[in-house]
Amino acid sequence: MTDLKAGSSSELKGVPFVDLSAEHQPINDEIRAAVNAVIDRGDFILGEATARFESDFASYCGTAHALGVDSGFSALELILRAFGIGPGDEVITVANTFYSTVRPIEVVGATPVLVDADPELRNIDPNLIESAITASTKAILPVHLYGHPADMAPIRELADAHGLHVFEDACQAHGSLYRGARAGSLSDAAAFSFYPSKNLGAFGDAGIVVTDNPDVADRIRALRNLGSVVKYQHEGDGFNRRLDTIQAAVLGVKLRHLDGHNQARREAASYYRDALAELDVALPTVAEWAEPVYHLYVIETANRDALAHALGERGIQTGIHYPVAIHLQPAFRSLGYQAGDFPVSEELAGRILSLPMHPNLACSDVAVVADAVRDFSTTSATVS
């Protein structure tokens, strides 16, 4: 377990949004040894460390198979292809998410169908899904946004009733629990991203698919590798979407520390809850059936932009995840949605602010952030 550290110099240096250097410093020797082992073996493509990490990550998630790929985007795309989803098909997902959830649906030729978010949990609202199902619907794709799992039981029940697949976008949810089960084990297949700032991050782009379906695993194994399982034998469509062995070696080391890092994030979130409880901001809601991993710590306020500016003036880095709902993105105009179609997602886009969150965030860092929010709230109240 990684303990939160006191004695930060945040008052002088501000508070970084993430701190990868601090995260890696205690495990640099382990990482270097793992990378050097790959260099010594020379098995840079689908090598020993890739196979080992795939096995370890499947065991961690509680699934039978894990297939390393080059990004979370590719993981989602290859899941769709492996299940035969393509032109004429529809996939239901949420309007409150990132581009990379929705674009893979279009890449395979299918049509994204959006529904609104639950205003409390900010994930897809299960109560709105059934009205979006048509004869063309083939799958539901919930997102475990910010590391809090979507409510999967009613989604699975609805999918079973209509003969649909369920896939997880778990790209922000490494290690999160839904009713005691890991994200990734809650559906027909799940996609994870290992972008460097994720809870489990590579030293570049990387991703993985997890599934219990052996046929799907075999298809993805070929799809990611030029349609080939046996060298120089290409059985069908394929892409170059493999997980580099060096990245797998890094991830294998970091996987051993993931639970400790996630616990440190939960402790930081607890500090935030205490420090911000009496202030004029809405804090994240945690469902009683969830154990989130706080990839992001996202508050809400009507004065979001002004607050972000005030924090920035004090060296406190923040983010917005995400400032424009999917249906209002220029890239998705062709879907035909209009402003007002998904009011919860639109309201969230104007109110959410991501505060610094990483495993090495100290309670004193949280105090600096809370003091800045408190000062802003006091000043705003005086001005108004």
Side-chain angles (χ1 to χ4, degrees), residues 23-61:
E23 178 181 331
H24 295 143
Q25 194 279 328
I27 59 174
N28 273 340
D29 288 345
E30 292 179 68
I31 291 172
R32 289 192 178 97
V35 170
N36 285 337
V38 176
I39 295 171
D40 290 344
R41 288 192 303 270
D43 58 345
F44 299 108
I45 303 297
L46 297 179
E48 177 183 317
T50 302
R52 185 186 312 117
F53 174 67
E54 289 174 335
S55 177
D56 290 347
F57 194 74
S59 296
Y60 181 81
C61 291

Side-chain angles (χ1 to χ4, degrees), residues 10 24 28 40 89 111 117 156-157 196-197 203 220 246 253 257 267 290 301 340 371 383:
S10 298
H24 295 143
N28 273 340
D40 290 344
D89 297 333
T111 300
R156 290 302 304 262
E157 182 177 352
S197 60
F203 283 7
I220 291 176
I246 283 180
V253 171
H257 299 273
E267 292 174 9
T301 174
D371 286 345
V383 171

